[in-house]
Amino acid sequence: MISTTTQHERAVVVGSGFGGGVTALRLAQAGVPTLVLERGLRWPTEPNAETFPRFSTMDNRTAWLSDHSVIRGLDRSWAPFAGVLEAVEGNGMTAMCGAVLGGGSIMYHGMTLQPTKANFAASMPMAAGLYDELDAWAYPTVARMLGISTIPDDILATDPYKSSRLFLDVAPEAGLSPFRVPLPVDWSFVQGELDGRYAPTYTTSDIAFGVNNGGKHSIDVTYLAAAEATGLVRVATLHVVRDIALDSKKRWVLSVDWIDSSGTVQEQKTIIANAVFLNAGSPGTTRLLVKARAKGLVPDLPDAIGTQWGNNGDRIYAWIGMNGDPGTVQGGPACVGGRDPQSPIPFTVIHAGAPMPANGTKAMTVVGFGVVDAVGTWAYDPTKDDAVLTWPATGDAALQSLIANRMQAIAAAGGGRMIDTDATAPQTWHALGGVPMGDAVDLYGRVLGHNGLYVLDGARIPGSTGACNPSMTIAALAEHSMATIVRDDIGRVF
């Protein structure tokens, strides 16, 4: 028999990615005891660790409670485990989501990109007035907390980074302005691999499931570590929030399953809180609120919940058979990119290194993303007790045409051909929206009409983040919002 318990908390943060990490730290620094609920595991690393699976040894650590691989092209089954990635399948789009302490910061390549003021406004016109403040202190705070830097010249000049140099050489011929990507990486770990002191991980781009050697300034070892060090933040892993409700005393009630690593429920918890900060990622946060509205668990939730979702324009291409030499291994993370400042729709192209094919084929991965129309929606399906995404291809059709043309220009300049790997089954690693600013929450993440309920993750950003990876903007917006919430809501709302 599964035991049931009830506990009371002043503040609960659901999710531990870019929004959740910022939220937890700033609540703690304001003196608020805080419980962080994370459905995934904590994955500590150190030099030469084998914490995360590699491409050559993909196993059930890659997948969140799935009996099969969530990686496209890998036909493999296994016992379900609390692995690092969940594939949320919708109509017209699959969203890849982190399921681990630190959220998407564990698996992402680390592209810590700040959009221009104009591109920020193109994605988030309702929040355009915030940009100057974000630029003045919030973006710099995130950059400092994550310790971002670009690839050093001496590392870029080494053999594993031939593919990065090839991209930089070809990009101008294809009409792109090349740049080096800011990354939250301690490059001494990369140098350690080059010197033979550490097993190759960065230098082979074997980082899609997490970096075994450490040296990556992910949320778990930056914001969350600082939050826990205050003594006011408790982190509860393997805690899955099933529902959120509002009780008769206007308190927030979370229905939570505490599971083991195989997904078996060990305890069912009712957690009653004065304030709840939803940071479960765009799909996670949106699904909880769409369910709450459909099931009548929270009255009078805004009609806009479940709307204005987008894929950040993600598209992954394989560049095959180029004239230049990409090397026999490809160093990472994704450290070089290019932009077209004249494009009518802002977009960015990045070379993301990947383990090379065993057959010796010359190949590189090139990724595009940009500004899209946030036309995706989520609707409750009572047969699944879950919300389901619908994404019409019209949302990013104009952008994808521009990206495709630029990819073909790269192939024309550098030889070979480009293959759109997402053409028949689109997926995104940068899900955004579902609880949009202006219509569902205010500019500080407060759910309209509901004191003590906040959304501070990518769910409040409608569809895209100004032709950038979303991580830095999610964190910067969370920093900006928490400054106001700490000043105005603590002691009054909760």
Side-chain angles (χ1 to χ4, degrees):
M1 181 176 179
I2 300 172
S3 63
T4 60
T5 59
T6 300
Q7 65 191 72
H8 293 76
E9 303 288 342
R10 183 174 176 187
V12 175
V13 177
V14 180
S16 62
F18 291 97
V22 172
T23 301
L25 176 57
R26 303 313 174 197
L27 285 171
Q29 290 177 333
V32 178
T34 301
L35 174 65
V36 175
L37 300 177
E38 169 54 52
R39 62 177 175 164
L41 287 163
R42 191 188 295 263
W43 299 71
T45 63
E46 59 185 9
N48 293 322
E50 289 296 328
T51 302
F52 301 105
R54 298 175 180 271
F55 271 87
S56 60
T57 59
M58 280 193 277
D59 54 33
N60 61 0
R61 290 173 294 171
T62 64
W64 169 254
L65 298 182
S66 172
D67 64 359
H68 61 276
S69 173
V70 298
I71 302 301
R72 190 177 293 168
L74 181 66
D75 183 16
R76 193 173 299 174
S77 59
W78 42 55
F81 182 74
V84 298
L85 280 172
E86 179 190 20
V88 180
E89 296 184 4
N91 302 309
M93 183 65 61
T94 295
M96 303 298 291
C97 307
V100 54
L101 189 70
S105 76
I106 301 300
M107 294 79 60
Y108 84 139
H109 267 249
M111 292 177 278
T112 310
L113 300 172
Q114 177 180 339
T116 65
K117 185 174 184 177
N119 290 354
F120 181 95
S123 283
M124 293 164 275
M126 76 297 296
L130 302 181
Y131 187 88
D132 288 343
E133 289 184 58
L134 293 170
D135 182 58
W137 67 267
Y139 279 118
T141 297
V142 175
R144 183 176 65 253
M145 286 291 298
L146 299 184
I148 65 172
S149 61
T150 58
I151 184 170
D153 289 343
D154 57 342
I155 291 178
L156 182 60
T158 62
D159 280 350
Y161 291 89
K162 282 183 178 178
S163 62
S164 296
R165 299 198 302 274
L166 175 59
F167 179 89
L168 291 174
D169 289 343
V170 172
E173 299 179 53
L176 294 170
S177 298
F179 67 96
R180 299 188 193 186
V181 179
L183 299 163
V185 170
D186 180 344
W187 294 98
S188 69
F189 284 77
V190 182
Q191 188 62 54
E193 294 183 20
L194 293 168
D195 294 342
R197 290 181 284 118
Y198 306 148
T201 295
Y202 289 106
T203 51
T204 55
S205 285
D206 213 344
I207 57 179
F209 312 113
V211 177
N212 279 313
N213 278 339
K216 183 181 181 186
H217 305 145
S218 48
I219 294 298
D220 56 325
V221 297
T222 54
Y223 278 100
L224 283 172
E228 290 184 279
T230 67
L232 289 174
V233 170
R234 293 146 37 231
V235 173
T237 57
L238 295 176
H239 279 59
V240 182
V241 179
R242 301 297 185 189
D243 283 303
I244 182 169
L246 186 66
D247 70 9
S248 60
K249 297 180 180 179
K250 302 296 183 182
R251 301 175 301 182
W252 297 105
V253 181
L254 299 171
S255 299
V256 181
D257 286 344
W258 178 25
I259 63 173
D260 64 18
S261 60
S262 71
T264 302
V265 177
Q266 305 298 300
E267 186 177 347
Q268 292 180 323
K269 297 185 177 185
T270 298
I271 300 177
I272 301 170
N274 296 352
V276 170
F277 295 81
L278 295 178
N279 288 285
S282 167
T285 292
T286 301
R287 290 153 76 186
L288 277 173
L289 290 177
V290 169
K291 286 173 63 178
R293 185 179 60 190
K295 295 161 71 172
L297 300 177
V298 180
D300 302 318
L301 281 171
D303 292 340
I305 286 174
T307 69
Q308 297 182 47
W309 184 90
N311 65 343
N312 204 46
D314 283 8
R315 208 68 161 197
I316 301 175
Y317 282 77
W319 184 14
I320 307 294
M322 67 287 298
N323 296 331
D325 180 11
T328 56
V329 296
Q330 294 179 11
C335 54
V336 295
R339 300 185 180 97
D340 178 1
Q342 305 303 319
S343 175
I345 302 175
F347 71 89
T348 300
V349 174
I350 299 286
H351 164 47
M356 289 291 287
N359 61 10
T361 300
K362 292 201 298 184
M364 291 170 55
T365 299
V366 187
V367 179
F369 44 80
V371 176
V372 300
D373 294 329
V375 295
T377 56
W378 294 78
Y380 180 66
D381 183 343
T383 65
K384 299 179 179 178
D385 189 28
D386 202 354
V388 178
L389 168 67
T390 296
W391 171 251
T394 54
D396 65 345
L399 171 67
Q400 294 308 335
S401 177
L402 293 172
I403 291 176
N405 288 340
R406 190 61 63 214
M407 294 296 182
Q408 297 310 318
I410 292 172
R417 58 195 176 96
M418 285 284 185
I419 299 173
D420 181 352
T421 66
D422 290 326
T424 58
Q427 64 178 349
T428 179
W429 296 74
H430 301 140
L432 292 165
V435 192
M437 286 186 290
D439 295 321
V441 300
D442 70 9
L443 295 183
Y444 305 98
R446 305 177 180 108
V447 175
L448 300 179
H450 292 282
N451 285 341
L453 183 59
Y454 304 84
V455 172
L456 296 182
D457 62 7
R460 62 171 167 161
I461 298 173
S464 56
T465 51
C468 289
N469 177 296
S471 59
M472 195 179 199
T473 294
I474 291 171
L477 282 169
E479 288 279 15
H480 183 269
S481 294
M482 285 305 299
T484 294
I485 291 165
V486 165
R487 184 187 67 234
D488 295 346
D489 292 12
I490 292 177
R492 185 178 66 85
V493 175
F494 63 94

